[in-house]
Amino acid sequence: MSRRPGRGVLALLLVAGVGDLATGLSLVAAPALVLAALGLPAPDETIYLRLVGVFVGSVGAAYLYPLLLSGASRAPRIAAALEWTAGVRLAVALFVAVAVAADALAGPWLLIGAYDAALALVQLALLSRGGLTDER
């Protein structure tokens, strides 16, 4: 029997990857529109938001990269992508929570932090419960 990633794991990689890649590209191309969609005011200077967009897009690419692979190298790359992106997401969630508590970011940013924390916890649960693979 071969071990293959479960469909839920592949769906998570695809949805999170495409979402982050699209968000990142949108932040690079039109940061004010992204913030407006979130109900947040755009700062006068958007170069730093564009830089953040590059990093968000890179996280999306990290989710998608293992989907391009096949064979024995795929499962460990999926695990690595889930581990790495979970860490990034938890760091973002912690930063957002502290920044909102310090009044450095507006309250609506908590939605982004909560999303990142929730997705990170799902990823860590999948990894800890062996949800990465299904027997086929």
Side-chain angles (χ1 to χ4, degrees), residues 1 11 13 20-21 30 32 44 49-51 66 69-70 72-73 80 86 89 116-117 120 124 129 136:
M1 282 196 271
L13 289 170
D20 282 351
L21 187 59
D44 292 333
L49 286 172
R50 294 173 193 272
L51 179 62
L69 304 174
S70 61
S73 67
R89 288 187 179 285
D116 281 329
L124 293 173
R129 293 183 186 156
R136 304 248 172 160

PDB file of all heavy atoms in Angstrom, residues 1 11 13 20-21 30 32 44 49-51 66 69-70 72-73 80 86 89 116-117 120 124 129 136:
ATOM      1  N   MET A   1       0.831  -1.183   0.000  1.00  0.00           N
ATOM      2  CA  MET A   1       0.000   0.000   0.000  1.00  0.00           C
ATOM      3  C   MET A   1       0.872   1.242   0.000  1.00  0.00           C
ATOM      4  O   MET A   1       1.867   1.301   0.699  1.00  0.00           O
ATOM      5  CB  MET A   1      -0.879   0.031   1.251  1.00  0.00           C
ATOM      6  CG  MET A   1      -2.063  -0.879   1.184  1.00  0.00           C
ATOM      7  SD  MET A   1      -3.272  -0.464   2.435  1.00  0.00           S
ATOM      8  CE  MET A   1      -2.699  -1.465   3.778  1.00  0.00           C
ATOM      9  N   ALA A  11      -6.786  19.866  -0.117  1.00  0.00           N
ATOM     10  CA  ALA A  11      -7.717  20.993  -0.231  1.00  0.00           C
ATOM     11  C   ALA A  11      -7.242  22.169   0.618  1.00  0.00           C
ATOM     12  O   ALA A  11      -7.302  23.322   0.176  1.00  0.00           O
ATOM     13  CB  ALA A  11      -9.115  20.565   0.193  1.00  0.00           C
ATOM     14  N   LEU A  13      -4.137  22.878   1.460  1.00  0.00           N
ATOM     15  CA  LEU A  13      -2.994  23.472   0.773  1.00  0.00           C
ATOM     16  C   LEU A  13      -3.455  24.356  -0.384  1.00  0.00           C
ATOM     17  O   LEU A  13      -2.941  25.461  -0.574  1.00  0.00           O
ATOM     18  CB  LEU A  13      -2.061  22.385   0.242  1.00  0.00           C
ATOM     19  CG  LEU A  13      -1.261  21.596   1.264  1.00  0.00           C
ATOM     20  CD1 LEU A  13      -0.594  20.403   0.594  1.00  0.00           C
ATOM     21  CD2 LEU A  13      -0.242  22.468   1.954  1.00  0.00           C
ATOM     22  N   ASP A  20      -3.688  33.041   0.022  1.00  0.00           N
ATOM     23  CA  ASP A  20      -2.550  33.875   0.411  1.00  0.00           C
ATOM     24  C   ASP A  20      -1.828  34.450  -0.805  1.00  0.00           C
ATOM     25  O   ASP A  20      -1.394  35.609  -0.783  1.00  0.00           O
ATOM     26  CB  ASP A  20      -1.563  33.082   1.269  1.00  0.00           C
ATOM     27  CG  ASP A  20      -2.029  32.931   2.702  1.00  0.00           C
ATOM     28  OD1 ASP A  20      -3.018  33.577   3.095  1.00  0.00           O
ATOM     29  OD2 ASP A  20      -1.398  32.161   3.450  1.00  0.00           O
ATOM     30  N   LEU A  21      -1.690  33.659  -1.844  1.00  0.00           N
ATOM     31  CA  LEU A  21      -1.033  34.161  -3.046  1.00  0.00           C
ATOM     32  C   LEU A  21      -1.835  35.319  -3.645  1.00  0.00           C
ATOM     33  O   LEU A  21      -1.273  36.360  -4.009  1.00  0.00           O
ATOM     34  CB  LEU A  21      -0.849  33.041  -4.071  1.00  0.00           C
ATOM     35  CG  LEU A  21      -0.032  33.382  -5.306  1.00  0.00           C
ATOM     36  CD1 LEU A  21       1.380  33.822  -4.943  1.00  0.00           C
ATOM     37  CD2 LEU A  21       0.028  32.186  -6.246  1.00  0.00           C
ATOM     38  N   ALA A  30      -2.522  46.648  -5.326  1.00  0.00           N
ATOM     39  CA  ALA A  30      -3.528  47.642  -4.905  1.00  0.00           C
ATOM     40  C   ALA A  30      -3.789  47.551  -3.404  1.00  0.00           C
ATOM     41  O   ALA A  30      -4.868  47.137  -2.979  1.00  0.00           O
ATOM     42  CB  ALA A  30      -4.817  47.423  -5.685  1.00  0.00           C
ATOM     43  N   ALA A  32      -4.461  49.711  -1.099  1.00  0.00           N
ATOM     44  CA  ALA A  32      -5.584  50.500  -0.580  1.00  0.00           C
ATOM     45  C   ALA A  32      -6.911  49.767  -0.785  1.00  0.00           C
ATOM     46  O   ALA A  32      -7.794  49.815   0.089  1.00  0.00           O
ATOM     47  CB  ALA A  32      -5.620  51.875  -1.230  1.00  0.00           C
ATOM     48  N   ASP A  44      -0.961  56.741   4.300  1.00  0.00           N
ATOM     49  CA  ASP A  44      -0.489  57.613   3.217  1.00  0.00           C
ATOM     50  C   ASP A  44       0.579  56.910   2.384  1.00  0.00           C
ATOM     51  O   ASP A  44       0.615  57.041   1.171  1.00  0.00           O
ATOM     52  CB  ASP A  44       0.080  58.915   3.789  1.00  0.00           C
ATOM     53  CG  ASP A  44      -1.001  59.773   4.426  1.00  0.00           C
ATOM     54  OD1 ASP A  44      -2.176  59.657   4.014  1.00  0.00           O
ATOM     55  OD2 ASP A  44      -0.665  60.543   5.347  1.00  0.00           O
ATOM     56  N   LEU A  49       3.080  48.075   2.976  1.00  0.00           N
ATOM     57  CA  LEU A  49       2.018  47.105   2.707  1.00  0.00           C
ATOM     58  C   LEU A  49       2.364  46.260   1.484  1.00  0.00           C
ATOM     59  O   LEU A  49       2.071  45.064   1.439  1.00  0.00           O
ATOM     60  CB  LEU A  49       0.678  47.803   2.489  1.00  0.00           C
ATOM     61  CG  LEU A  49       0.013  48.346   3.736  1.00  0.00           C
ATOM     62  CD1 LEU A  49      -1.199  49.180   3.358  1.00  0.00           C
ATOM     63  CD2 LEU A  49      -0.379  47.218   4.664  1.00  0.00           C
ATOM     64  N   ARG A  50       2.976  46.860   0.514  1.00  0.00           N
ATOM     65  CA  ARG A  50       3.403  46.118  -0.673  1.00  0.00           C
ATOM     66  C   ARG A  50       4.478  45.098  -0.303  1.00  0.00           C
ATOM     67  O   ARG A  50       4.470  43.969  -0.791  1.00  0.00           O
ATOM     68  CB  ARG A  50       3.896  47.066  -1.757  1.00  0.00           C
ATOM     69  CG  ARG A  50       2.797  47.956  -2.327  1.00  0.00           C
ATOM     70  CD  ARG A  50       3.368  48.997  -3.292  1.00  0.00           C
ATOM     71  NE  ARG A  50       2.408  50.015  -3.597  1.00  0.00           N
ATOM     72  CZ  ARG A  50       1.511  49.953  -4.586  1.00  0.00           C
ATOM     73  NH1 ARG A  50       1.462  48.901  -5.366  1.00  0.00           N
ATOM     74  NH2 ARG A  50       0.667  50.946  -4.785  1.00  0.00           N
ATOM     75  N   LEU A  51       5.383  45.493   0.583  1.00  0.00           N
ATOM     76  CA  LEU A  51       6.406  44.569   1.065  1.00  0.00           C
ATOM     77  C   LEU A  51       5.762  43.400   1.820  1.00  0.00           C
ATOM     78  O   LEU A  51       6.123  42.239   1.607  1.00  0.00           O
ATOM     79  CB  LEU A  51       7.401  45.303   1.970  1.00  0.00           C
ATOM     80  CG  LEU A  51       8.513  44.453   2.575  1.00  0.00           C
ATOM     81  CD1 LEU A  51       9.390  43.852   1.488  1.00  0.00           C
ATOM     82  CD2 LEU A  51       9.338  45.286   3.541  1.00  0.00           C
ATOM     83  N   PRO A  66       4.296  22.080  -2.683  1.00  0.00           N
ATOM     84  CA  PRO A  66       4.229  20.615  -2.605  1.00  0.00           C
ATOM     85  C   PRO A  66       3.205  19.999  -3.556  1.00  0.00           C
ATOM     86  O   PRO A  66       3.319  18.829  -3.911  1.00  0.00           O
ATOM     87  CB  PRO A  66       3.838  20.341  -1.150  1.00  0.00           C
ATOM     88  CG  PRO A  66       4.179  21.567  -0.408  1.00  0.00           C
ATOM     89  CD  PRO A  66       4.046  22.695  -1.384  1.00  0.00           C
ATOM     90  N   LEU A  69       4.655  18.561  -6.727  1.00  0.00           N
ATOM     91  CA  LEU A  69       5.532  17.400  -6.617  1.00  0.00           C
ATOM     92  C   LEU A  69       4.746  16.104  -6.696  1.00  0.00           C
ATOM     93  O   LEU A  69       3.538  16.083  -6.496  1.00  0.00           O
ATOM     94  CB  LEU A  69       6.294  17.451  -5.285  1.00  0.00           C
ATOM     95  CG  LEU A  69       7.110  18.708  -5.031  1.00  0.00           C
ATOM     96  CD1 LEU A  69       7.671  18.692  -3.633  1.00  0.00           C
ATOM     97  CD2 LEU A  69       8.212  18.840  -6.066  1.00  0.00           C
ATOM     98  N   SER A  70       5.450  15.038  -6.950  1.00  0.00           N
ATOM     99  CA  SER A  70       4.840  13.703  -6.901  1.00  0.00           C
ATOM    100  C   SER A  70       5.882  12.756  -6.331  1.00  0.00           C
ATOM    101  O   SER A  70       7.048  13.099  -6.158  1.00  0.00           O
ATOM    102  CB  SER A  70       4.385  13.250  -8.293  1.00  0.00           C
ATOM    103  OG  SER A  70       5.500  13.178  -9.153  1.00  0.00           O
ATOM    104  N   ALA A  72       7.728  10.045  -3.639  1.00  0.00           N
ATOM    105  CA  ALA A  72       8.057   9.929  -2.224  1.00  0.00           C
ATOM    106  C   ALA A  72       8.410  11.267  -1.575  1.00  0.00           C
ATOM    107  O   ALA A  72       8.269  11.420  -0.369  1.00  0.00           O
ATOM    108  CB  ALA A  72       9.216   8.949  -2.041  1.00  0.00           C
ATOM    109  N   SER A  73       8.838  12.248  -2.353  1.00  0.00           N
ATOM    110  CA  SER A  73       9.237  13.523  -1.758  1.00  0.00           C
ATOM    111  C   SER A  73       8.045  14.417  -1.416  1.00  0.00           C
ATOM    112  O   SER A  73       8.203  15.401  -0.701  1.00  0.00           O
ATOM    113  CB  SER A  73      10.178  14.272  -2.690  1.00  0.00           C
ATOM    114  OG  SER A  73       9.496  14.678  -3.858  1.00  0.00           O
ATOM    115  N   ALA A  80       6.404  19.708   5.872  1.00  0.00           N
ATOM    116  CA  ALA A  80       7.257  20.874   6.117  1.00  0.00           C
ATOM    117  C   ALA A  80       6.506  22.173   5.837  1.00  0.00           C
ATOM    118  O   ALA A  80       6.626  23.142   6.595  1.00  0.00           O
ATOM    119  CB  ALA A  80       8.520  20.786   5.264  1.00  0.00           C
ATOM    120  N   ALA A  86       2.324  27.154   9.650  1.00  0.00           N
ATOM    121  CA  ALA A  86       1.646  27.247  10.950  1.00  0.00           C
ATOM    122  C   ALA A  86       2.441  28.172  11.874  1.00  0.00           C
ATOM    123  O   ALA A  86       1.858  29.004  12.581  1.00  0.00           O
ATOM    124  CB  ALA A  86       1.478  25.866  11.583  1.00  0.00           C
ATOM    125  N   ARG A  89       1.910  31.744  10.737  1.00  0.00           N
ATOM    126  CA  ARG A  89       0.562  32.197  11.088  1.00  0.00           C
ATOM    127  C   ARG A  89       0.420  32.483  12.587  1.00  0.00           C
ATOM    128  O   ARG A  89      -0.233  33.452  12.978  1.00  0.00           O
ATOM    129  CB  ARG A  89      -0.484  31.185  10.624  1.00  0.00           C
ATOM    130  CG  ARG A  89      -0.650  31.189   9.123  1.00  0.00           C
ATOM    131  CD  ARG A  89      -1.800  30.300   8.693  1.00  0.00           C
ATOM    132  NE  ARG A  89      -1.950  30.328   7.257  1.00  0.00           N
ATOM    133  CZ  ARG A  89      -2.481  31.335   6.558  1.00  0.00           C
ATOM    134  NH1 ARG A  89      -2.921  32.411   7.157  1.00  0.00           N
ATOM    135  NH2 ARG A  89      -2.575  31.259   5.246  1.00  0.00           N
ATOM    136  N   ASP A 116      -5.576  33.610  11.024  1.00  0.00           N
ATOM    137  CA  ASP A 116      -4.257  32.976  11.010  1.00  0.00           C
ATOM    138  C   ASP A 116      -4.109  31.973  12.151  1.00  0.00           C
ATOM    139  O   ASP A 116      -3.589  30.874  11.953  1.00  0.00           O
ATOM    140  CB  ASP A 116      -3.154  34.038  11.085  1.00  0.00           C
ATOM    141  CG  ASP A 116      -2.897  34.701   9.742  1.00  0.00           C
ATOM    142  OD1 ASP A 116      -3.071  34.040   8.705  1.00  0.00           O
ATOM    143  OD2 ASP A 116      -2.503  35.877   9.726  1.00  0.00           O
ATOM    144  N   ALA A 117      -4.558  32.334  13.341  1.00  0.00           N
ATOM    145  CA  ALA A 117      -4.460  31.415  14.478  1.00  0.00           C
ATOM    146  C   ALA A 117      -5.295  30.167  14.247  1.00  0.00           C
ATOM    147  O   ALA A 117      -4.840  29.046  14.509  1.00  0.00           O
ATOM    148  CB  ALA A 117      -4.893  32.123  15.763  1.00  0.00           C
ATOM    149  N   ALA A 120      -3.661  27.933  11.624  1.00  0.00           N
ATOM    150  CA  ALA A 120      -2.462  27.307  12.200  1.00  0.00           C
ATOM    151  C   ALA A 120      -2.845  26.143  13.113  1.00  0.00           C
ATOM    152  O   ALA A 120      -2.211  25.083  13.067  1.00  0.00           O
ATOM    153  CB  ALA A 120      -1.649  28.343  12.980  1.00  0.00           C
ATOM    154  N   LEU A 124      -1.740  22.264  12.693  1.00  0.00           N
ATOM    155  CA  LEU A 124      -1.028  21.538  13.751  1.00  0.00           C
ATOM    156  C   LEU A 124      -1.814  20.307  14.190  1.00  0.00           C
ATOM    157  O   LEU A 124      -1.226  19.258  14.480  1.00  0.00           O
ATOM    158  CB  LEU A 124      -0.741  22.465  14.928  1.00  0.00           C
ATOM    159  CG  LEU A 124       0.253  23.586  14.619  1.00  0.00           C
ATOM    160  CD1 LEU A 124       0.337  24.557  15.790  1.00  0.00           C
ATOM    161  CD2 LEU A 124       1.621  23.034  14.269  1.00  0.00           C
ATOM    162  N   ARG A 129      -2.233  14.525  14.589  1.00  0.00           N
ATOM    163  CA  ARG A 129      -3.131  13.356  14.538  1.00  0.00           C
ATOM    164  C   ARG A 129      -2.831  12.436  13.376  1.00  0.00           C
ATOM    165  O   ARG A 129      -3.583  11.513  13.093  1.00  0.00           O
ATOM    166  CB  ARG A 129      -4.581  13.826  14.436  1.00  0.00           C
ATOM    167  CG  ARG A 129      -5.046  14.536  15.676  1.00  0.00           C
ATOM    168  CD  ARG A 129      -6.482  14.906  15.546  1.00  0.00           C
ATOM    169  NE  ARG A 129      -6.873  15.708  16.691  1.00  0.00           N
ATOM    170  CZ  ARG A 129      -7.880  16.557  16.702  1.00  0.00           C
ATOM    171  NH1 ARG A 129      -8.608  16.710  15.622  1.00  0.00           N
ATOM    172  NH2 ARG A 129      -8.162  17.239  17.770  1.00  0.00           N
ATOM    173  N   ARG A 136      -4.179   4.159   1.098  1.00  0.00           N
ATOM    174  CA  ARG A 136      -4.895   3.909  -0.165  1.00  0.00           C
ATOM    175  C   ARG A 136      -4.468   2.570  -0.716  1.00  0.00           C
ATOM    176  O   ARG A 136      -3.389   2.155  -0.585  1.00  0.00           O
ATOM    177  CB  ARG A 136      -4.559   4.978  -1.190  1.00  0.00           C
ATOM    178  CG  ARG A 136      -4.839   6.347  -0.681  1.00  0.00           C
ATOM    179  CD  ARG A 136      -5.963   6.938  -1.427  1.00  0.00           C
ATOM    180  NE  ARG A 136      -6.239   8.173  -0.711  1.00  0.00           N
ATOM    181  CZ  ARG A 136      -6.861   9.176  -1.169  1.00  0.00           C
ATOM    182  NH1 ARG A 136      -7.315   9.166  -2.352  1.00  0.00           N
ATOM    183  NH2 ARG A 136      -7.095  10.233  -0.478  1.00  0.00           N
TER     184      ARG A 136
END
